[in-house]
Amino acid sequence: MKNIAYDGYCGPRMSRQMLLERVQNVIDNELTDKQRRVLQDYYLARKNIPTLAREYGVNKSTVCRTLQRAERQLRRFLKY
């Protein structure tokens, strides 16, 4: 398998600041508004899923699926 270099690649280890910038970039550019809002409320505001479901007026499973999709997108884009 051939390694293809891309702009900004720093090898397998990168600084915490660079990693945080990449995470923020993915959150801003690759997630939907709903995914971004759920992700931020769940992890940054520390709200639980039943609370978010009540606030958004949706079922708990909808919040859970939205959160899972957001996490999957983050993993997918931060993999490389």
Side-chain angles (χ1 to χ4, degrees), residues 61-72:
S61 63
T62 302
V63 173
C64 190
R65 276 193 314 271
T66 304
L67 184 59
Q68 288 173 341
R69 287 179 184 139
E71 291 169 340
R72 194 176 321 127

Side-chain angles (χ1 to χ4, degrees), residues 22-23 25-36 39 65-80:
R22 287 186 65 201
V23 169
N25 188 30
V26 171
I27 289 172
D28 291 341
N29 299 315
E30 303 299 334
L31 299 182
T32 65
D33 289 336
K34 187 187 299 185
Q35 290 172 340
R36 187 178 308 112
L39 191 75
R65 276 193 314 271
T66 304
L67 184 59
Q68 288 173 341
R69 287 179 184 139
E71 291 169 340
R72 194 176 321 127
Q73 282 290 88
L74 273 174
R75 273 188 240 104
R76 183 174 153 238
F77 281 96
L78 294 175
K79 188 175 175 180
Y80 297 102

Side-chain angles (χ1 to χ4, degrees), residues 14-69:
M14 65 177 62
S15 70
R16 179 176 171 83
Q17 182 63 33
M18 286 180 72
L19 183 60
L20 289 174
E21 288 172 8
R22 287 186 65 201
V23 169
Q24 189 61 50
N25 188 30
V26 171
I27 289 172
D28 291 341
N29 299 315
E30 303 299 334
L31 299 182
T32 65
D33 289 336
K34 187 187 299 185
Q35 290 172 340
R36 187 178 308 112
R37 199 169 47 245
V38 168
L39 191 75
Q40 289 173 341
D41 284 347
Y42 186 76
Y43 286 107
L44 300 178
R46 306 289 239 167
K47 296 179 181 178
N48 60 23
I49 290 175
T51 302
L52 292 174
R54 277 193 306 275
E55 286 180 9
Y56 298 146
V58 296
N59 199 326
K60 292 184 289 188
S61 63
T62 302
V63 173
C64 190
R65 276 193 314 271
T66 304
L67 184 59
Q68 288 173 341
R69 287 179 184 139

Side-chain angles (χ1 to χ4, degrees), residues 6-15 18 22:
Y6 66 91
D7 206 24
Y9 181 69
C10 296
R13 310 270 300 165
M14 65 177 62
S15 70
M18 286 180 72
R22 287 186 65 201

